[in-house]
Structures are given as C-alpha cells and as structure tokens.
Amino acid sequence: MTKRSLRTSTGRGLEPWPVLGLLLLTVVVPTACVLWFMSAAMRNERLAVRQRLTQAYRQHALAAQEALEKHWLDKQRALAKADKLPAARIFAELVTSGVADSVVVYDKAGQLEYPLLEAPLAAEPDEPSSPWLAAGELEYQQRLPGKAAEAYATIPREAKDRNLTARALRAQARCLAQAGRKHEAVVILTGPLASAELRGARGAGGRLIAPDALLLALELAEETDSRQFRALAGKLADRLSDYGDPAMPSGQRRFLMLALREVAPDVPAFPTLAAEHLAAEYLEARPPPARPLQLSRAPGDLWNFPSAGGEVAAIFRTETLLAEMRSAGRLDEPFAGATLALVRPGSPPAEAEAVLAVAAPRQMPGWKLELRLAGEEPFAAAASRRNAIYLWTGIVGIVIIAVLALMVGRFVSRQMRLARLKNDLIATVSHELKTPLASIRVLVDTLLAGRYQDQWQAREYFSLIARENERLTRLIDNFLTFSRMERKKVAFEFGPVKLDEVVAAAVEAMADRLNGPNCKLEVRVAPDLPAITADRDALVTVLLNLLDNAYKYSKDDKRIAVRAYEADANVCLEVADNGIGLSRRAAKNIFDRFYQVDQSLTRSAGGCGLGLSIVKFIVDAHGGSIDVATQPGKGSSFTVRLPVGGAAGAAGSRKD
Ligand code: ADP
C-alpha cells in the first residue's frame, strides 16, 4: 500500500525561458531599431546641417561678391562723372571725395595731364633785353641790390608780356629784400604781383609766379603772428587748394604746400598732399598700361583701377584697398562660425582650409573670396541641439519599451505562476487523493468480504483505514490552508499560547505513528517557558507538518526529538530526526511551494510539497523564523524561532 503509483505531470514542465526569451526579443529588437534609427537620424542631421550651412555660406559669399561689385560700380560711376572736369579738378574731386587714394589723369591720346611736374609755357618769354642785362649786371656782378632793384623797376613799364612783368617785379622785390628793404619788397610781392592780372604769369618750368611771391612775402614778414601774416598764409593756402585755372604744376604745388606748413604751421593740413605724393610715386615707377575697369597691380604695392575710357586712373594703396573691400563686403562680420577672407592673386594658401571659395567680382580679376571656419566645427555645434532632441526621444522610447516590457513580463510571469500553481495543484491533488482512497477502498472491500483471519487482523485493517483517513484529512487541511494563503484569506486568532500545550496537541494527534514499534520519540519541553502571543491551532499545524516530515523522511529505525526552549528572547521549537537529510541545494528550496526533493514518479513518501511552505507562511505571520540544519544521510533538524512578545495582530483576527 505504501508504494506510490505513477505521478501525473506537474506544472513544472511549464518552462518560463521561451516566454522570457520572447519578451527579451520584444525589448531588444525595438531597442536596436530605435538605436539604429537614432544614429541614422543623427548622422543625417549632421549631413543636412552641413548641407544647409554650406548653402548658407555660399549665399553669404555671393552676397559679399555682389556688395563688392556694387562698390566697384559706384567707383566706376564716380570716375565717369569726374571725367568731364579739367584734369586737376578731376584729381581734387576724386581724392577729396575719397574715391581713390590718388588719381592720375590722361588725355584722350594717352598723354599725362595731371599731375605734371612742370607746365609748358604758352609762349616763351623774349630774349633778355638790355635792361635785363644791365639789371643783372648790377645784381650779380656789382652786387648792388639797391641799384639793381631800381633797374628792374623800369622793366615792367616797357614789358609787353605779363610773364616778363611778373618776373621783373619778383626780381625787384628780391633785390629790395637783399638791400634790407623788406617792407618795400613785401609791398611789391603782395601788391602788384598778387594782382588778378598777373595771376597766370609763369616763370621757368611753368611755375606760377604769384604763389611763389606770396611764400617769399611770408618768409620776409617780420611778425609771424600778425593778422596780415595770417591773411597772407590763408591766401596762399587757398591758392594751393584751388585746382582750377590757371593750373599749378604739381611739383610747385607740393613744394609750396610743404614750405607753407613750415613757415606757417597753423595752416590746416592739405587733404590732397598725400595724394599728390602718391601720384608722383606712381608715375615715377612707370606703371605698365592697365585694362579699363579692372583692378591691376602697379609697382610699389599700389593698385590701379582705370575708368572706362582709361583717361582717369584711380590709384590705391594695398591697405586702403583691403580696408575698403572689407567694409564694402562686410567681410569682418563673422557668419555662422565662419569668416570671409579676400585673397589677392598669387597669395600663398592660408593655413586654415577654405570651406568654399567664390571668385571676387569681375572688376577684381584673380581675386577670390574664401570662407574659412572660425574655431570649432560649426556643423557639429549646429547639429548637436537637434541630435540632443533625437537622443532624448530615443532614450524616452527605449525607457517606454523597457517599462512596457517589464509590465508585460510581470503580467506574464504572474499568469505563468498561476498556471503552474493550478497545474501543480491538480496534479498533486489527483495523485495524493487517489492513493489513500484506493487503499481505503481495498481495506474496506477486504473487511466487507470477511477476508480476515481474526479480530486482531480486522482491527489492524481498521487502524490502517484510520491512518489513511488521517492522511487525507491532513492533506485536505494543507490544501485549504494553501488555498487561503494564495487568496490572502488566512487570518490568525492571536492569543496567549503555551508551547507545551502545542507540543502535547501535535504529539497526541500523531501518537499512533510516533509511538509505533519502529519509532522512538523524545519530547523535551523546558519548564517555565513564557507564553507567547500566537494562533494556537496554526502552531499545532506547524509542528504537525514538521513531525510528519520527520516521520516520513526517516528510515526504519526512526528517532525523532521534539524540543521547546527559550533562547535570545525567542521561544524555539525544534524537530530533529535521523532521516535521509537534505543536500545543501535542496535545503535552500524546501520552503518553496510544491518543492519536493524526490520528484520521481515512484516516490514512497506521500505529500504534495506544500507542508513546509505553509509552515514558513505561519512562522512569518508570527514574526518568527525557521531554518534547517541537515546533512544528507544523517538527518535534519528544523528550528522555529518565535519572538516572546509575539506578532499580535499581524494578520488580523478574522478566521476564514
Ligand atoms: P511534502 O508534502 O512533500 O513532505 P513538504 O513541503 O513538507 O512537502 O516538504 C518538502 C520536501 O522537503 C519534501 O518533499 C522532502 O523532500 C523534503 N523534506 C522535508 N522535511 C524533511 C526531512 N525532515 N528530512 C528530509 N527531507 C525533508
């Protein structure tokens, strides 16, 4: 009767791994997809930004090119407008209006018109006549300046030519000054010589005599801070700033400008002086002919931009030209992390590689506009904000997937646990109920058929039926407790409990077996054990399960000990046996539901693997603990520790 029949399969066959694997796949695959999309989106974003920026850079460079072109067209218009004026006026007009650093003007035949170092005389003065010779004799041979002055004074009356008249007056003034008669000299220099009539009179090399006479008058003046002196200086300054007729040779103008600033430092600086010097410097270098309306290099770090007809050449210094271009094309303003640089023809390549280059406007052949990145990669900087959005979206997506998977996982695992429990329960119940019922039926049939020898045998059969019945009752009790445990419907009735009573009740309930011939029971309860707050019936269930196991898992010569004692503010209940013991791994799992060390189909010991899980549940509810000391083949010792204070009310007081 004790041999078990075949066990039905349990829910343990319901492996979680395929489901877990599938679940993992549902997380890993979308996560991998999200990551792939994310990285692709980030890469595309970087490319798109690079493309957009390059497009914007091109627009920027083209806008600068257009601005430069407009700048040159303005210059072209200014040159064309000035072209109609006399040569000297063209120079003055273009220089003072800032169109060019300097200007050189040619006539239609390509002959230089301005600046001329000397002005050709319209008509050469007459050969020196006898009065000139006589006066010259007195001045240079006899060194009689007074007499020479008188001799020179007679010439203007006879002279037919205004140039000769002016020359004679200048010679007279010179001799008077030499004779110490400075005042008389000044009167001539600022009087007749400064008259409108002699305004165009020229001396050697085409120099205008009147402005020279004014300078001489200033040099002869004794008081340099008199009103008259200042008026004279002002008059000469006006004359030097006047580029109208009669034209002054540029050499004379530059000389007088410098000399006047020395004699009268208060005179304001001449705005055209630098341009005059530059034009002279330019012409001295003999520049090659340049193409109209095209900027070309000239010797001496200068640049030339001739008008449409080539008559007016605007001259630029390199630094002025570059500054003008920078401001016209707004090249100094950084644009989206990049700057535009104007590159001259033939200049060495810059250190930083250009992102893109466009040709400068057609007026600047060979020049280029290059766009270079300033500092860090602006593409990355511009893309990083978008990328951060992608990144966060990706992370949020992955987190959502993970959370959903976790929820689904928990749900599935709960469902699987339930399914397993159901399977285990059905399998165990059907098996464990079938065996005792079959035994009872056989015994009852035997008794009914009168197949027993005597009264003792009949009695033995009855006691066997009673034992199977007891087993069934305990089994069903365990199922009911387990079912309540699962539905969280277990309620304990806590009250003062004395352990000796619990021990007595449990031993009494199993007296039949424990006092059997092949079993030796030892009960040792310490005297004066404190009462604990607990559910008495529940503790009896605990002890019954432990005793049942000790009995079941011991061989023929069973020695079972029940001890109750106090240790470390706990009352302890110990059930030790000399049974088959447990491996270390099995000892870890025995408190799990439906766990049985021997899962073979022909287990000899009855049971459904619920006893110890019920024991643990009850002990936990009392705030206690349970552990097992065991050795395979030597026996096991289960110790339940319950706090002396108890865990009153831990699970309410309702009993289901
Ligand atoms: P069962 O109804 O199978 O006895 P339990 O939950 O009471 O279920 O015990 C779980 C398993 O622990 C048992 O199947 C048995 O293998 C092992 N076990 C329990 N008590 C002992 C013991 N005293 N000696 C050896 N093995 C034990």
Side-chain angles (χ1 to χ4, degrees):
M1 276 298 137
T2 49
K3 277 278 171 214
R4 303 282 116 187
S5 54
L6 281 182
R7 280 172 67 79
T8 47
S9 73
T10 70
R12 288 199 184 98
L14 221 70
E15 288 300 335
W17 303 118
V19 180
L20 281 179
L22 272 177
L23 211 65
L24 206 68
L25 273 183
T26 57
V27 177
V28 170
V29 172
T31 303
C33 287
V34 168
L35 286 174
W36 183 81
F37 276 124
M38 223 166 71
S39 74
M42 281 160 80
R43 206 172 39 245
N44 286 348
E45 183 59 27
R46 218 168 290 140
L47 279 177
V49 166
R50 183 173 263 270
Q51 223 163 16
R52 278 202 298 273
L53 264 179
T54 313
Q55 187 65 23
Y57 284 154
R58 182 167 296 284
Q59 294 299 332
H60 179 63
L62 290 177
Q65 184 198 49
E66 204 175 307
L68 291 184
E69 172 142 26
K70 186 178 168 301
H71 182 75
W72 285 113
L73 287 175
D74 288 348
K75 281 209 188 300
Q76 183 183 335
R77 268 192 289 277
L79 296 187
K81 199 170 143 205
D83 205 9
K84 294 168 191 81
L85 300 170
R89 292 276 307 281
I90 295 175
F91 175 90
E93 178 71 27
L94 293 177
V95 167
T96 50
S97 60
V99 172
D101 280 337
S102 187
V103 169
V104 173
V105 185
Y106 302 89
D107 63 11
K108 291 256 182 295
Q111 287 299 311
L112 185 65
E113 272 198 316
Y114 194 91
L116 286 176
L117 293 180
E118 295 188 346
L121 280 178
E124 283 298 311
D126 293 343
E127 282 295 306
S129 56
S130 51
W132 278 99
L133 290 174
E137 166 90 18
L138 285 169
E139 184 182 358
Y140 297 111
Q141 310 298 317
Q142 299 180 27
R143 302 208 179 268
L144 295 169
K147 294 252 186 241
E150 279 166 32
Y152 281 128
T154 59
I155 297 173
R157 271 171 254 141
E158 295 159 20
K160 296 172 253 99
D161 183 273
R162 63 176 177 172
N163 293 340
L164 285 179
T165 308
R167 282 182 184 193
L169 285 170
R170 188 179 57 185
Q172 182 188 358
R174 184 176 64 229
C175 290
L176 285 171
Q178 280 170 20
R181 292 151 65 186
K182 287 184 183 173
H183 181 70
E184 287 170 60
V186 169
V187 168
I188 293 169
L189 290 169
T190 58
L193 260 180
S195 66
E197 196 187 327
L198 297 184
R199 188 174 155 81
R202 293 180 189 271
R207 288 173 72 100
L208 289 170
I209 292 173
D212 281 350
L214 281 179
L215 178 71
L216 188 57
L218 285 170
E219 283 169 350
L220 292 176
E222 272 152 11
E223 288 177 36
T224 55
D225 59 349
S226 69
R227 230 184 48 203
Q228 194 194 1
F229 181 87
R230 281 199 296 276
L232 267 184
K235 195 171 171 190
L236 180 54
D238 288 348
R239 180 66 190 91
L240 293 175
S241 303
D242 180 0
Y243 279 78
D245 283 337
M248 192 182 302
S250 66
Q252 180 186 14
R253 196 187 298 268
R254 276 190 287 134
F255 167 79
L256 287 177
M257 280 175 171
L258 293 172
L260 176 59
R261 294 268 294 153
E262 252 176 55
V263 177
D266 291 348
V267 169
F270 294 100
T272 52
L273 178 58
E276 292 279 4
H277 285 315
L278 191 64
E281 191 186 314
Y282 171 79
L283 289 172
E284 229 163 79
R286 301 189 177 279
R291 294 177 64 187
L293 300 179
Q294 299 230 316
L295 188 71
S296 59
R297 192 158 209 150
D301 210 16
L302 297 177
W303 297 85
N304 176 12
F305 183 72
S307 65
E311 287 99 350
V312 182
I315 312 298
F316 300 93
R317 286 197 179 86
T318 300
E319 64 268 28
T320 325
L321 182 75
L322 291 179
E324 263 188 27
M325 295 300 107
R326 275 205 299 274
S327 108
R330 303 210 299 204
L331 306 184
D332 287 338
E333 292 172 20
F335 175 79
T339 48
L340 267 177
L342 192 62
V343 182
R344 286 184 245 173
S347 49
E351 267 176 37
E353 206 192 323
V355 179
L356 62 88
V358 296
R362 62 199 150 92
Q363 292 89 343
M364 305 172 76
W367 290 68
K368 272 188 300 180
L369 278 166
E370 281 188 357
L371 195 131
R372 300 198 188 105
L373 297 182
E376 51 133 13
E377 252 254 30
F379 305 124
S384 67
R385 243 191 73 222
R386 279 276 189 146
N387 284 347
I389 294 173
Y390 287 134
L391 200 71
W392 279 112
T393 314
I395 289 172
V396 169
I398 291 171
V399 167
I400 289 174
I401 291 171
V403 168
L404 284 178
L406 209 74
M407 283 163 70
V408 170
R410 284 175 70 129
F411 178 76
V412 168
S413 81
R414 223 177 55 216
Q415 292 303 314
M416 284 182 69
R417 217 186 82 229
L418 281 179
R420 202 161 50 224
L421 275 181
K422 220 159 78 185
N423 284 357
D424 285 352
L425 199 63
I426 290 167
T428 311
V429 167
S430 54
H431 174 77
E432 291 303 324
L433 289 185
K434 213 166 70 189
T435 314
L437 281 178
S439 302
I440 289 170
R441 205 182 66 219
V442 169
L443 287 166
V444 168
D445 284 351
T446 309
L447 284 171
L448 284 177
R451 285 199 298 273
Y452 54 92
Q453 289 165 0
D454 50 26
Q455 207 60 20
W456 290 110
Q457 196 176 30
R459 195 182 156 77
E460 191 187 336
Y461 285 176
F462 278 124
S463 72
L464 278 175
I465 292 172
R467 202 173 300 165
E468 290 299 328
N469 189 25
E470 182 199 329
R471 213 172 101 187
L472 268 180
T473 312
R474 209 171 43 253
L475 207 66
I476 288 168
D477 276 353
N478 270 354
F479 284 146
L480 288 176
T481 313
F482 171 72
S483 156
R484 282 199 293 267
M485 244 165 67
E486 277 303 303
R487 288 181 291 128
K488 302 205 175 18
K489 284 278 172 73
V490 180
F492 296 98
E493 271 182 11
F494 286 92
V497 173
K498 298 193 94 193
L499 273 198
D500 48 355
E501 289 171 13
V502 172
V503 173
V507 169
E508 169 66 28
M510 282 189 58
D512 255 11
R513 282 190 287 166
L514 295 177
N515 294 327
N518 56 353
C519 181
K520 207 169 151 211
L521 175 72
E522 181 198 335
V523 178
R524 221 189 296 157
V525 179
D528 304 329
L529 270 184
I532 58 166
T533 310
D535 183 317
R536 185 180 175 282
D537 291 348
L539 289 190
V540 172
T541 307
V542 166
L543 198 51
L544 272 177
N545 271 301
L546 292 178
L547 281 171
D548 187 42
N549 282 350
Y551 188 87
K552 275 194 301 188
Y553 301 112
S554 298
K555 299 260 166 61
D556 284 345
D557 183 21
K558 303 177 202 287
R559 263 175 288 146
I560 299 171
V562 180
R563 289 182 207 108
Y565 54 89
E566 189 181 358
D568 303 332
N570 287 318
V571 283
C572 305
L573 203 52
E574 187 183 313
V575 178
D577 62 55
N578 63 337
I580 56 172
L582 290 157
S583 69
R584 196 189 285 226
R585 188 169 159 269
K588 262 192 210 158
N589 299 319
I590 49 175
F591 297 103
D592 292 348
R593 281 169 302 195
F594 297 107
Y595 180 84
Q596 290 177 307
V597 175
D598 181 3
Q599 292 186 28
S600 66
L601 298 175
T602 52
R603 277 181 347 115
S604 55
C608 53
L610 284 177
L612 285 182
S613 66
I614 291 172
V615 166
K616 177 137 177 47
F617 177 78
I618 294 171
V619 171
D620 284 349
H622 282 74
S625 64
I626 179 167
D627 55 51
V628 58
T630 180
Q631 237 181 324
K634 294 252 167 92
S636 314
S637 168
F638 287 83
T639 308
V640 173
R641 289 186 177 77
L642 298 165
V644 174
S653 60
R654 191 166 54 84
K655 189 136 187 169
D656 194 46

